[in-house]
Amino acid sequence: MRDRITGAEALMRALQEEGVKTIFGYPGGSIMPTYDALFDYTRDVKKCFDHILVRHEQAAIHAAEGYARVSGEVGVALVTSGPGATNTLTGIADAMLDSTPIVVIAGQVAIGALGTDAFQEVDLVGVAQPISKWSYQIRHAEDVVWAVSRAFYIARSGRPGPVVLDFPRNAQVEEIDWEPKKVDFIRSYVAYPKLNMESVHEAAELINQAKRPLALVGQGVELGNAQEELKAFLEKADIPAGRTMLGLSALSSNHPLNVGMLGMHGNYAVNLKEQECDVLIAIGMRFSDRVTGNLKTYAKQAKVIHLDIDRSEIDKNVKTDVAIVADCKESLPALTALLNQSNHAEWRESFKELDAMEREKVIEPAIHPQEGPLLMGEVVHAVAEQAPDDAVLVTDVGQNQLFATRYFKYHHKRSICTSGGLGTMGYGMPAAIGATFGAPGRTVCCFMGDGGFQMCIEELGTIMEQQSPVKMILLNNNYLGNVRQWQDMFWMRRKSFTKMMNPCYELIAQGYGIPYVAVTDRKNLCAAVEKMLVTDGPFILECAIKEDDDVLPMTPPGMNVNDMMLEI
């Protein structure tokens, strides 16, 4: 007997075939047939998926991103057409810039109505194409299974990223014979370039001759699940390593070769040493402007080796002497096998004086202030000291992000979710919700400023409904803090519309039934953090922060990396 099913039912089965367990979504008219099919797949009799009803479609994407970041799986979002679809675009762009594997499925009007300006019609494929790995319209039910398999293959393979499927209503209700399909090859798409051993030998020769090698570790190591291969590489050649913001948990905070965070607000020593090293080894990172500063002066003294799976990143920003285009899970062991057992103790020792300067002028005053209002650094430090070793850091964007990434501790892989390339305010809370589903056994600590918190405040409803155990740390300085800092530094202290009037967050927490504590005095900070961490379920910890707390060190925009300032 033939198994006749609708396109919507075929979508459910295809998602099962891809191992999907969690879907973040928001229903609407054009996606209603699919939601009707989903109903049976979330019931006890045939329970295959958890569907998490978010309160805004953008949050569905960020939640899918958080899920993908910590689990290593593809995140899935399901929305309706028109504004439902366009509300996803910021999250899709965010996922594209940060190489996060997600599949977004959006309803669409029936193909017979396309081009008529039908209610809630929008050209999602055309709009999403520049900000996604693949954007495709499923025009008939017979294409559903193939499109889903291809979407997941593209999203998760090679350099990961977002895929968008536009799902017209007619394709959801048409009937087809069920037949599984698996896409694992696309002729025009080379997900994993073949390793060129000649380049590996050239790179090994440069590293073996180096006196002052420095590795720059990016998120590509995490995406390639090459954390152990990275350690073997660094330890054999005794190479100090800095990490990009997105690559912070690729190497443990307490590893002896970890020399800190790269970038505009990273650590002092590693940023200055980029201008002294003789061989610079970039691994799974893209030489963002926030890392390099002024490209005209960046690392001109060094031979540059770049390991990346994406050929388009080679020579895009920084001229490379040797490029190894391959999956770092494969290229790192091949390179390590050709390296000499080295000792660069003198070079590593030279970092310590600069580290001591930063600790004296920046770190100690930030995490152990003696008087005055609470500082962001001390709050992050207090949470990091008490949180479990495998805790996941999620941040919003702004000063909260910069302080949190600097002062949190990373002991476990896939321990950070933050918006890097796009810098999306409102990312934090929904990404943290997704992280609790992607890593249900781990503590999720989400740092937000008062600006970003209010950009996603509706997701407290999702947290309330799901009892998602997000530990929310609200760093409230009554300002859009990062913009305020730049206005003070570069715009003659003209604080143009950065001061914020904020609501009573205690009453908001009460309205959502979420436990809440406010801290205004540092003597109560550690006890409040402990209460937050031992409380089951979600928690809001609001900390009243000094209004003009500044993030340091800082390389001013457009300046040289070695112009990094320890004080203003």
Side-chain angles (χ1 to χ4, degrees):
M1 185 175 177
R2 295 164 69 185
D3 191 5
R4 294 287 288 179
I5 60 172
T6 65
E9 173 81 11
L11 175 66
M12 296 300 109
R13 295 190 186 185
L15 292 176
Q16 273 188 285
E17 292 285 320
E18 295 298 333
V20 173
K21 297 180 179 64
T22 306
I23 299 170
F24 303 92
Y26 202 95
S30 290
I31 198 66
M32 207 172 291
T34 293
Y35 264 90
D36 186 68
L38 176 63
F39 185 80
D40 289 336
Y41 283 79
T42 58
R43 304 297 104 183
D44 291 339
V45 176
K46 190 170 42 172
K47 184 172 174 58
C48 304
F49 307 122
D50 284 320
H51 177 272
I52 313 306
L53 177 65
V54 296
R55 299 313 191 250
H56 190 282
E57 291 91 352
Q58 182 174 331
I61 308 304
H62 295 324
E65 287 186 276
Y67 180 92
R69 289 275 191 93
V70 299
S71 69
E73 302 296 329
V74 177
V76 179
L78 183 65
V79 300
T80 195
S81 63
T86 57
N87 280 344
T88 68
L89 293 175
T90 297
I92 292 168
D94 190 278
M96 186 67 175
L97 283 169
D98 286 351
S99 304
T100 305
I102 61 172
V103 171
V104 183
I105 303 160
Q108 180 59 279
V109 301
I111 60 171
L114 289 174
T116 68
D117 291 333
F119 179 66
Q120 293 192 333
E121 177 194 356
V122 70
D123 179 10
L124 179 60
V125 171
V127 174
Q129 211 158 30
I131 55 171
S132 60
K133 272 189 83 174
W134 186 49
S135 183
Y136 180 76
Q137 187 174 77
I138 306 172
R139 296 176 67 87
H140 296 286
E142 63 192 31
D143 296 327
V144 169
V145 182
W146 167 84
V148 170
S149 183
R150 182 181 171 107
F152 275 80
Y153 175 64
I154 291 173
R156 65 163 63 102
S157 62
R159 181 178 182 172
V163 170
V164 176
L165 293 178
D166 196 37
F167 199 13
R169 197 178 191 281
N170 65 285
Q172 298 175 52
V173 299
E174 290 170 357
E175 289 193 347
I176 57 167
D177 293 332
W178 166 250
E179 182 183 349
K181 291 184 175 69
K182 187 67 177 175
V183 175
D184 55 13
F185 171 77
I186 300 171
R187 186 175 60 183
S188 59
Y189 171 55
V190 181
Y192 300 98
K194 184 178 179 181
L195 182 63
N196 183 335
M197 285 305 298
E198 184 177 340
S199 296
V200 175
H201 279 275
E202 290 177 21
E205 186 175 350
L206 285 177
I207 295 170
N208 285 333
Q209 294 173 356
K211 303 297 183 186
R212 301 181 305 280
L214 178 62
L216 312 183
V217 177
Q219 188 193 198
V221 172
E222 294 262 62
L223 296 174
N225 295 308
Q227 297 89 347
E228 293 303 315
E229 289 81 0
L230 172 70
K231 284 198 296 184
F233 166 76
L234 297 174
E235 289 168 2
K236 184 173 184 181
D238 196 30
I239 300 174
R243 299 107 77 226
T244 66
M245 184 180 286
L246 293 182
L248 282 169
S249 61
L251 185 67
S252 174
S253 296
N254 58 15
H255 193 284
L257 291 174
N258 167 32
V259 289
M261 184 170 82
L262 301 160
M264 178 180 279
H265 292 288
N267 292 107
Y268 191 56
V270 66
N271 278 279
L272 266 62
K273 291 298 182 179
E274 287 177 278
Q275 303 295 73
E276 294 181 24
C277 67
D278 57 3
V279 175
L280 192 68
I281 308 123
I283 307 167
M285 56 88 71
R286 59 188 178 88
F287 286 113
S288 160
D289 60 297
R290 288 299 174 102
V291 167
T292 64
N294 183 1
L295 282 169
K296 293 180 180 178
T297 61
Y298 179 73
K300 293 302 179 184
Q301 80 294 336
K303 295 290 185 182
V304 177
I305 301 168
H306 194 172
L307 285 72
D308 206 286
I309 199 168
D310 186 353
R311 189 177 300 277
S312 71
E313 290 296 342
I314 305 300
D315 295 333
K316 186 174 81 176
N317 294 325
V318 172
K319 180 64 178 173
T320 301
D321 293 281
V322 179
I324 301 176
V325 182
D327 187 345
C328 60
K329 185 83 171 177
E330 179 186 11
S331 61
L332 278 172
L335 184 55
T336 303
L338 299 176
L339 296 182
N340 299 331
Q341 193 79 42
S342 300
N343 186 326
H344 296 292
E346 185 177 347
W347 166 236
R348 287 189 287 103
E349 193 71 22
S350 71
F351 285 71
K352 292 184 178 179
E353 182 179 352
L354 297 174
D355 285 336
M357 290 172 60
E358 181 183 358
R359 175 155 287 279
E360 177 187 353
K361 292 187 176 184
V362 176
I363 297 175
E364 284 300 321
I367 66 175
H368 295 131
Q370 300 303 308
E371 57 186 8
L374 280 169
L375 301 181
M376 291 192 192
E378 68 175 311
V379 174
V380 177
H381 179 71
V383 174
E385 286 294 292
Q386 295 192 49
D389 280 354
D390 67 346
V392 175
L393 170 69
V394 183
T395 82
D396 207 82
V397 167
Q399 287 184 318
N400 66 89
Q401 175 187 40
L402 303 170
F403 275 110
T405 51
R406 276 182 56 82
Y407 294 116
F408 207 74
K409 298 291 187 288
Y410 312 92
H411 303 291
H412 194 282
K413 65 182 181 180
R414 296 188 176 275
S415 291
I416 180 169
C417 298
T418 192
S419 174
L422 199 62
T424 306
M425 288 182 68
Y427 170 94
M429 195 188 300
I433 293 169
T436 64
F437 285 93
R442 300 172 68 181
T443 298
V444 176
C445 298
C446 180
F447 289 86
M448 294 173 280
D450 41 317
F453 188 94
Q454 291 182 79
M455 281 196 177
C456 58
I457 200 166
E458 79 286 341
E459 295 312 313
L460 290 173
T462 308
I463 290 174
M464 173 186 67
E465 182 174 344
Q466 300 294 333
Q467 281 301 292
S468 183
V470 180
K471 309 305 181 185
M472 293 167 274
I473 303 98
L474 172 56
L475 303 174
N476 187 358
N477 58 8
N478 298 300
Y479 267 98
L480 298 174
N482 209 41
V483 184
R484 190 275 312 154
Q485 179 173 336
W486 282 46
Q487 287 172 338
D488 280 351
M489 293 178 68
F490 310 121
W491 294 94
M492 301 176 65
R493 300 187 179 277
R494 289 161 57 88
K495 297 180 179 64
S496 180
F497 300 100
T498 45
K499 179 78 171 176
M500 296 193 74
M501 177 181 287
N502 287 321
C504 175
Y505 293 109
E506 182 177 12
L507 291 177
I508 290 171
Q510 285 179 16
Y512 286 101
I514 297 174
Y516 165 95
V517 167
V519 178
T520 58
D521 191 317
R522 62 175 45 90
K523 69 183 180 184
N524 301 321
L525 177 60
C526 288
V529 170
E530 181 182 10
K531 182 175 182 180
M532 174 184 72
L533 292 173
V534 300
T535 299
D536 290 336
F539 197 99
I540 298 175
L541 174 62
E542 180 183 359
C543 298
I545 300 297
K546 180 184 177 185
E547 287 191 346
D548 60 350
D549 193 8
D550 290 326
V551 188
L552 289 168
M554 181 179 184
T555 303
M559 300 296 285
N560 305 327
V561 171
N562 47 323
D563 290 329
M564 181 173 250
M565 304 182 303
L566 289 175
E567 51 195 358
I568 298 175

